[in-house]
């Protein structure tokens, strides 16, 4: 795998270093300062008359990103996780012969080095480090794919994320924000009195949502298992058992298509709160966003492509009402199955007569409303036909006490007052099984143990799931879910990708 001639040249240099008694991969770094800290604590050097302070000494480590060799002296740009620093390496400041015999021959862009020295300001006004000692910490045998502009090939970026992270500091910022969102989410719910729990990743029944599962085989038990679609039914079992507020930050798996907002495995938080309703969760969700913005230090109005999302403006509207008020669907057709089918055909859309009224209303919403929901919008009162686990509305029994939160035309959260009537739940499961028999491979499986759990009594409960991946997309202005996943699902490589341009320079 290392037959490329540029790699072979670097391997030879690593061997030559060994022959000179220099380990190209030592493990004795003495770094005492990050680049960000160095730039901060030495900002006063600009005010010194000499523009330097030889009494200060720092040891900094980082990867060489830029190398300008100029005879008896060189400028390097080195980078650590915190930032980029210019360092000045001159022959006369180093151990005798080191500059010509070691530095110029063996140090290259991509290598990780340790430099020691003192702060000074260059003639161009840049705070830098004058190097008095330099040590190779890691000899990179593969040259970086580009010197200046990062990796432009997105397929390469996703397949070899390590290169993407090396070359694109903005990508690292995105994943810093993602990490903070997960950490803040955990803190928010713990502060509210929720207990973090863990539920199985392999389920005997594919349940918790309508989706096609991944199937695996459990050798010891001799049975198939399904990778978790959602933790919902297990979390609600815990509410039955007496816990009153639980959450899980979870990985879910759905064996479905991939696009800008779908990856086969994804991260979400699901939480369940006894003695609360979906209306309470609307208030909690707004408070959660306030908490995120306060602690992420982000403005409340964020760009997202051609749009600006105003997180000061949370609104809510029932799904049926949204069809004509936002989607422009004629109001007189939204409660009539045949008229909806005619409307879909007139708009050259698929009109499946096997779908019931609630499912067709969902189709109208997907086609005419969803993409128009830019500012945070709670869509409420979903039809029972597309909400198999949600509680019926007492006044409008064909609707459920459910909402979905949409931002920038994408679903971010799903919540409802939970169905705790075991007989109603059994009937919903039976309807789902009938749909599966009719060819719906995403319909919910029957889960008799969950119905049995409900028969012991589950307190009135509200539950919600929030998609972490899509949320991070909104907060970081990313338009593909693969840009917020460190290692997204990818098709197999069909042909070898040559990373190493033949004009590789020092």
């Amino acid at each position: 795998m290392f037959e490329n001639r540029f790699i072979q040249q670097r391997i030879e240099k690593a061997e030559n270093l060994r022959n000179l008694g220099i380990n190209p991969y030592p493990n004795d770094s003495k770094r005492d300062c990050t680049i960000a800290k160095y730039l901060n604590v030495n900002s006063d050097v600009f005010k010194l008359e000499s523009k330097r302070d030889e009494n200060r000494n720092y040891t900094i480590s980082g990867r060489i990103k830029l190398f300008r060799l100029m005879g008896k002296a060189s400028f390097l740009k080195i980078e650590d996780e915190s930032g980029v620093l210019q360092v000045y390496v001159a022959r006369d400041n180093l151990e005798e012969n080191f500059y010509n015999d070691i530095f110029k021959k063996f140090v290259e862009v991509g290598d990780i080095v340790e430099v020691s020295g003192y702060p000074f300001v260059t003639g161009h006004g840049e705070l830098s480090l004058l190097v008095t000692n330099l040590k190779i910490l890691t000899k990179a045998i593969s040259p970086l794919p580009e010197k200046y502009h990062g990796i432009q090939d997105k397929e390469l970026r996703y397949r070899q994320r390590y290169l993407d992270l090396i070359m694109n500091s903005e990508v690292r910022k995105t994943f810093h924000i993602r990490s903070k969102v997960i950490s803040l989410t955990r803190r928010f719910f713990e502060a509210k009195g929720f207990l973090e729990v863990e539920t199985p990743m392999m389920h005997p029944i594919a349940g918790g949502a309508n989706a096609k599962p991944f199937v695996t085989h459990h050798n010891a038990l001799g049975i198939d298992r399904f990778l978790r679609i959602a933790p919902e039914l297990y979390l609600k079992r815990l509410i039955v058992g007496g816990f009153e507020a639980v959450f899980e930050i979870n990985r879910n798996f759905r064996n479905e298509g991939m696009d800008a907002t779908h990856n086969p495995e994804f991260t979400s938080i699901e939480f369940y709160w006894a003695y609360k309703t979906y209306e309470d969760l609307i208030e909690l969700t707004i408070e959660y966003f306030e908490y995120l913005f306060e602690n992420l230090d982000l403005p409340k109005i964020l760009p997202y492509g051609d749009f600006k999302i105003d997180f000061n403006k949370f609104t809510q509207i029932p799904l049926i009402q949204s069809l004509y008020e936002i989607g422009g669907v004629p109001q007189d057709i939204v409660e009539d199955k045949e008229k909806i089918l005619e409307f879909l055909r007139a708009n050259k859309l698929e009109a499946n007569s096997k779908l019931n009224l609630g499912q067709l209303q969902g189709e109208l919403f997907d086609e005419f409303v969803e993409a128009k929901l830019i500012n945070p919008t709670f869509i409420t009162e979903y039809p029972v036909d597309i909400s198999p686990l949600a509680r019926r509305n007492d006044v409008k029994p064909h609707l459920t006490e459910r909402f979905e939160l949409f931002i920038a035309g994408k679903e971010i959260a799903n919540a409802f007052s939970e169905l705790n009537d075991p007989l109603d739940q059994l009937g919903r499961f039976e309807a789902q099984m009938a749909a599966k028999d009719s060819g719906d491979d995403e319909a919910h499986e029957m889960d008799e143990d969950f119905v049995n759990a409900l028969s012991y009594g589950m307190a009135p409960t509200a539950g919600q799931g929030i998609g972490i991946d899509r949320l991070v997309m909104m907060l970081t202005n990313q338009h593909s879910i693969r840009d917020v996943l460190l290692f997204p699902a990818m098709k197999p490589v069909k042909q070898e990708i040559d990373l190493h341009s033949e004009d590789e320079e020092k």
Side-chain angles (χ1 to χ4, degrees):
M1 65 184 287
F2 295 135
E3 292 180 355
N4 178 283
R5 66 186 178 91
F6 297 106
I7 295 179
Q8 285 295 318
Q9 290 170 3
R10 286 180 170 231
I11 290 174
E12 184 178 350
K13 289 179 181 181
E15 287 304 309
N16 289 339
L17 284 169
R18 288 189 175 96
N19 293 336
L20 292 170
I22 299 173
N23 183 356
Y25 303 101
N27 191 28
D28 56 353
S29 173
K30 299 294 190 287
R31 182 175 80 160
D32 57 24
C33 188
T34 65
I35 288 173
K37 182 179 178 182
Y38 175 86
L39 294 173
N40 181 51
V41 299
N42 291 298
S43 60
D44 63 320
V45 175
F46 287 98
K47 301 175 183 178
L48 301 178
E49 184 177 350
S50 64
K51 303 296 185 187
R52 65 179 58 209
D53 187 344
E54 298 181 20
N55 294 318
R56 306 181 193 183
N57 190 271
Y58 300 90
T59 298
I60 293 172
S61 299
R63 186 186 299 274
I64 300 174
K65 298 298 291 292
L66 181 66
F67 196 138
R68 295 205 309 270
L69 184 62
M70 301 178 298
K72 298 178 182 180
S74 300
F75 278 100
L76 310 180
K77 293 278 189 178
I78 67 170
E79 182 177 40
D80 68 7
E81 188 176 8
S82 71
V84 178
L85 175 67
Q86 178 171 267
V87 303
Y88 175 68
V89 185
R91 182 191 66 185
D92 296 340
N93 296 322
L94 299 173
E95 181 182 337
E96 186 176 359
N97 298 324
F98 182 87
Y99 186 82
N100 290 325
D101 295 346
I102 304 298
F103 177 76
K104 289 176 67 175
K105 291 182 178 179
F106 299 110
V107 177
E108 301 170 279
V109 168
D111 293 348
I112 298 172
V113 296
E114 179 179 273
V115 291
S116 299
Y118 58 83
F120 80 108
V121 177
T122 67
H124 289 96
E126 183 171 356
L127 178 59
S128 305
L129 180 88
L130 192 149
V131 175
T132 56
N133 188 65
L134 183 144
K135 179 179 182 178
I136 297 174
L137 293 180
T138 302
K139 181 64 188 169
I141 62 171
S142 287
L144 297 181
E146 283 189 70
K147 283 194 296 185
Y148 301 109
H149 304 298
I151 309 172
Q152 302 303 315
D153 184 335
K154 283 208 165 190
E155 287 291 312
L156 178 58
R157 287 179 53 201
Y158 300 142
R159 290 186 189 282
Q160 301 191 7
R161 181 66 86 183
Y162 43 88
L163 281 178
D164 189 26
L165 295 170
I166 289 171
M167 301 306 297
N168 300 320
S169 60
E170 289 300 314
V171 173
R172 294 202 299 272
K173 290 180 182 178
T174 294
F175 288 103
H176 273 283
I177 290 176
R178 180 189 175 98
S179 179
K180 288 180 182 177
V181 166
I182 293 172
S183 177
L184 289 169
T185 298
R186 177 172 281 111
R187 278 191 261 163
F188 176 82
F189 284 96
E190 287 179 339
K192 288 288 182 184
F194 283 76
L195 179 71
E196 183 173 12
V197 297
E198 296 173 297
T199 62
M201 297 285 281
M202 293 189 295
H203 291 185
I205 295 171
N210 286 8
K212 187 175 181 180
F214 285 94
V215 184
T216 187
H217 188 74
H218 196 300
N219 289 335
L221 295 177
I223 54 177
D224 284 345
R225 282 286 187 257
F226 303 95
L227 294 185
R228 176 167 64 193
I229 291 175
E232 176 171 342
L233 301 186
Y234 283 93
L235 293 173
K236 287 196 282 193
R237 284 173 169 92
L238 299 180
I239 299 295
V240 171
F243 292 111
E244 295 184 358
V246 295
F247 78 93
E248 183 173 10
I249 297 174
N250 52 82
R251 299 287 284 182
N252 298 319
F253 305 85
R254 299 184 183 181
N255 196 1
E256 301 169 339
M258 298 187 296
D259 59 28
T261 58
H262 293 86
N263 192 69
E265 56 177 309
F266 61 95
T267 302
S268 68
I269 176 173
E270 284 204 22
F271 55 94
Y272 293 83
W273 205 2
Y275 311 110
K276 300 293 182 180
T277 70
Y278 82 111
E279 293 170 326
D280 295 312
L281 296 190
I282 289 177
E283 295 179 10
L284 182 72
T285 303
I286 295 173
E287 186 179 346
Y288 167 70
F289 273 88
E290 291 282 349
Y291 179 82
L292 287 182
F293 276 93
E294 178 182 348
N295 288 277
L296 291 171
D297 195 28
L298 291 173
K300 298 290 282 294
I301 300 176
L302 289 176
Y304 192 73
D306 296 331
F307 304 110
K308 287 190 180 297
I309 307 171
D310 190 343
F311 285 92
N312 295 298
K313 297 179 179 178
F314 281 81
T315 59
Q316 59 179 290
I317 183 173
L319 184 142
I320 304 302
Q321 187 178 337
S322 77
L323 297 180
Y324 50 85
E325 289 197 1
I326 298 174
V329 177
Q331 185 172 352
D332 63 341
I333 77 163
V334 297
E335 301 279 7
D336 188 308
K337 174 179 175 177
E338 294 305 318
K339 288 183 178 179
I340 292 175
L341 290 170
E342 291 176 12
F343 181 77
L344 290 171
R345 294 187 192 103
N347 283 274
K348 296 182 169 47
L349 297 170
E350 182 180 355
N352 185 349
S353 60
K354 293 182 180 180
L355 299 180
N356 55 41
L357 176 60
Q359 291 169 327
L360 287 170
Q361 289 168 336
E363 294 287 311
L364 288 176
F365 177 84
D366 293 345
E367 291 290 342
F368 296 99
V369 180
E370 184 170 342
K372 299 177 181 178
L373 304 176
I374 305 304
N375 289 332
T377 306
F378 295 99
I379 300 295
T380 62
E381 298 184 1
Y382 276 67
V384 169
D385 298 327
I386 54 175
S387 308
L389 297 170
R391 184 183 186 278
R392 292 178 189 269
N393 184 291
D394 291 334
V395 179
K396 307 171 189 175
H398 62 294
L399 300 176
T400 60
E401 296 180 355
R402 174 187 176 191
F403 74 75
E404 288 189 338
L405 173 63
F406 291 85
I407 304 172
K410 298 176 178 62
E411 177 205 341
I412 300 298
N414 183 23
F416 34 84
S417 299
E418 300 297 335
L419 177 59
N420 62 349
D421 179 340
L423 298 181
D424 191 354
Q425 181 63 82
L426 179 61
R428 306 271 193 100
F429 278 149
E430 289 171 343
Q432 289 287 300
M433 292 301 293
K436 185 174 285 290
D437 292 340
S438 299
D440 184 354
D441 60 0
E442 294 187 0
H444 206 292
E445 296 277 0
M446 171 66 73
D447 190 334
E448 291 185 0
D449 181 73
F450 177 67
V451 176
N452 187 55
L454 291 184
S455 75
Y456 287 93
M458 183 176 80
T461 298
Q464 182 171 342
I466 300 173
I468 297 295
D469 307 318
R470 292 185 186 178
L471 173 59
V472 175
M473 289 173 64
M474 303 298 107
L475 298 178
T476 58
N477 196 12
Q478 300 296 332
H479 298 266
S480 169
I481 195 170
R482 296 195 291 182
D483 287 319
V484 298
L485 300 174
L486 282 169
F487 302 103
M490 302 290 291
K491 292 181 180 179
V493 179
K494 292 184 179 179
Q495 61 186 22
E496 183 180 355
I497 301 172
D498 186 4
L499 305 180
H500 313 294
S501 144
E502 293 196 0
D503 64 351
E504 166 69 14
E505 301 175 7
K506 202 172 188 184

